[in-house]
């Protein structure tokens, strides 16, 4: 006869294993952040010393702490990439998640947890797309079918001629034939 | 003074940083020459040399922060730093520089 593991023991075994995994992930993340922090600390100290050499006689104000935007190697680079990808795939559409995957691959971004990845898709990619929509560059496509995790479907807005313009061009063609 | 969020890098800033590196390179080279010519003052020269090495490290890191692809060690030497002691590339200016280092040491 098989011995059944008591459910409380089973739950505890599962939790211990899951927490060990969580600790290992956090350790890896902390090691990565510690390396980044060391480099930033050294650069900060070097720039502070250089500032002292350069601005010898200039009285400097107390320097504030500025939280700079997420770096993509330059201002406007994320939106430039999204434009390039959407324009290249026109007239086909792409989901926010697909565009985020392309941006992650292009900029070599890393996320420590799924929540961070979700925030990147919604806040960074989503906001950039909404700004491009407001500027009339892209349009949101309503597909009717619900795609799980897509977070919206987008395509490059093509300047299609209006019905009036088509009629006018047809009329002018007929007149020329006469 | 308003801070810019764009962290715009300008050619003027790069030129100024490169000039500072060139001056440090020039001063280090002059210290080596003076140490050979005046071995009796090697202590004063060594003191200044260690200060300059630290300054060079800070400037190298600053330039790397400006552009990671720049190789600061490839920047040449400049004698502009000696202008405070007289006409650069003259023995008089170099001697004034040395005597200032000796006075500082005392």
């Amino acid at each position: 006869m098989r011995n059944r593991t008591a459910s409380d023991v089973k739950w505890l075994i599962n939790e211990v294993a899951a927490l060990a995994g969580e600790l290992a992930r956090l350790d890896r993340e902390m090691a990565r952040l510690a390396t980044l922090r060391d480099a930033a600390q050294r650069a900060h100290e070097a720039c502070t010393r250089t500032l002292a050499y350069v601005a010898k006689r200039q009285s400097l104000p107390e320097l504030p702490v500025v939280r700079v935007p997420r770096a993509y190697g330059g201002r406007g680079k994320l939106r430039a990439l999204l434009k390039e990808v959407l324009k290249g795939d026109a007239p086909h559409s792409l989901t926010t998640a697909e565009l985020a995957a392309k941006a992650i691959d292009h900029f070599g971004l890393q996320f420590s947890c799924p929540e961070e990845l979700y925030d990147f898709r919604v806040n960074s990619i989503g906001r950039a797309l909404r700004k491009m929509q407001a500027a009339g560059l892209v349009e949101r496509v309503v597909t009717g079918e619900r795609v799980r995790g897509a977070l919206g479907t987008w395509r490059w807005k093509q300047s299609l001629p209006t019905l009036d313009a088509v009629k006018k061009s047809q009329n002018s063609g007929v007149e020329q034939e006469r | 003074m308003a801070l810019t969020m764009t962290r715009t890098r300008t050619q003027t800033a790069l030129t100024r940083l490169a000039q500072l590196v060139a001056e440090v390179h020039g001063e280090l080279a002059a210290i080596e020459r003076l140490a050979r010519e005046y071995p009796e003052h090697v202590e004063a020269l060594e003191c200044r040399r260690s200060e300059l090495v630290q300054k060079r490290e800070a400037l190298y890191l600053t330039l790397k922060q400006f552009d990671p692809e720049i190789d600061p060690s490839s920047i040449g030497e400049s004698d502009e730093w000696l202008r405070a002691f007289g006409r650069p590339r003259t023995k008089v200016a170099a001697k004034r520089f040395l005597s200032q280092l000796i006075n500082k040491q005392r």
Side-chain angles (χ1 to χ4, degrees), chain A residues 110-123:
Chain A
Q110 283 185 333
F111 301 100
S112 55
C113 56
E115 288 80 10
E116 216 173 86
L117 172 63
Y118 180 81
D119 285 350
F120 172 73
R121 284 174 176 164
V122 174
N123 298 340

Side-chain angles (χ1 to χ4, degrees), chain B residues 74-93:
Chain B
S74 64
I75 296 171
E77 295 169 10
S78 165
D79 285 332
E80 278 305 298
W81 61 276
L82 204 53
R83 201 169 279 281
F85 302 94
R87 275 174 60 198
R89 294 181 191 181
T90 57
K91 277 215 161 184
V92 180

Side-chain angles (χ1 to χ4, degrees), chain A residues 42-43 45-47 49-50 53-54 56 61 63-64 66-69 71 75, chain B residues 1 3-7 16-17 20 51 54-59 61-62 65:
Chain A
R42 270 186 279 120
E45 281 167 9
C47 287
R49 289 188 65 180
T50 307
Y53 300 139
V54 174
K56 261 180 211 162
L63 297 179
V66 175
R67 195 165 168 238
V68 292
R75 192 173 165 82
Chain B
M1 184 191 72
L3 293 176
T4 55
M5 294 294 283
T6 53
R7 300 167 100 183
R16 182 78 188 105
L17 288 172
L20 279 171
E51 278 174 18
Q54 283 181 7
K55 189 174 178 179
R56 185 181 63 185
E57 285 308 305
L59 285 168
L61 269 172
T62 307
Q65 178 70 18

Side-chain angles (χ1 to χ4, degrees), chain A residues 37-113:
Chain A
R37 200 193 182 285
D38 276 357
Q41 177 83 35
R42 270 186 279 120
H44 179 261
E45 281 167 9
C47 287
T48 308
R49 289 188 65 180
T50 307
L51 178 63
Y53 300 139
V54 174
K56 261 180 211 162
R57 294 179 198 100
Q58 206 176 327
S59 63
L60 292 168
E62 200 177 316
L63 297 179
V65 175
V66 175
R67 195 165 168 238
V68 292
R70 195 189 280 270
Y72 299 111
R75 192 173 165 82
K77 292 268 172 97
L78 177 64
R79 230 181 286 176
L81 174 79
L82 295 176
K83 270 183 200 173
E84 191 189 308
V85 171
L86 283 166
K87 222 174 182 178
D89 268 25
H92 302 292
S93 54
L94 287 161
T95 64
T96 307
E98 285 168 337
L99 288 164
K102 284 184 194 288
I104 290 164
D105 189 41
H106 183 81
F107 297 112
L109 304 175
Q110 283 185 333
F111 301 100
S112 55
C113 56

Side-chain angles (χ1 to χ4, degrees), chain B residues 30 32-40 91 94:
Chain B
E32 271 184 34
R33 279 197 303 275
L34 287 168
R36 278 197 300 273
E37 282 175 42
Y38 305 96
E40 64 274 22
K91 277 215 161 184

Side-chain angles (χ1 to χ4, degrees), chain B residues 5-52:
Chain B
M5 294 294 283
T6 53
R7 300 167 100 183
T8 309
R9 300 173 304 170
T10 63
Q11 184 61 46
T12 318
L14 176 62
T15 309
R16 182 78 188 105
L17 288 172
Q19 271 171 354
L20 279 171
V21 172
E23 283 177 26
V24 169
H25 284 173
E27 197 172 340
L28 279 167
I31 281 175
E32 271 184 34
R33 279 197 303 275
L34 287 168
R36 278 197 300 273
E37 282 175 42
Y38 305 96
E40 64 274 22
H41 300 306
V42 80
E43 207 178 314
L45 289 164
E46 184 52 40
C47 187
R48 178 63 185 156
R49 204 187 76 83
S50 63
E51 278 174 18
L52 282 172

Side-chain angles (χ1 to χ4, degrees), chain A residues 125-155:
Chain A
I125 302 290
R127 194 174 293 137
L129 287 165
R130 284 193 295 277
K131 277 187 181 171
M132 283 160 68
Q133 185 187 24
L137 296 170
V138 297
E139 58 188 349
R140 201 166 194 150
V141 183
V142 182
T143 53
E145 59 184 76
R146 193 177 160 79
V147 184
R148 196 177 158 82
L151 302 167
T153 309
W154 305 84
R155 77 169 162 221

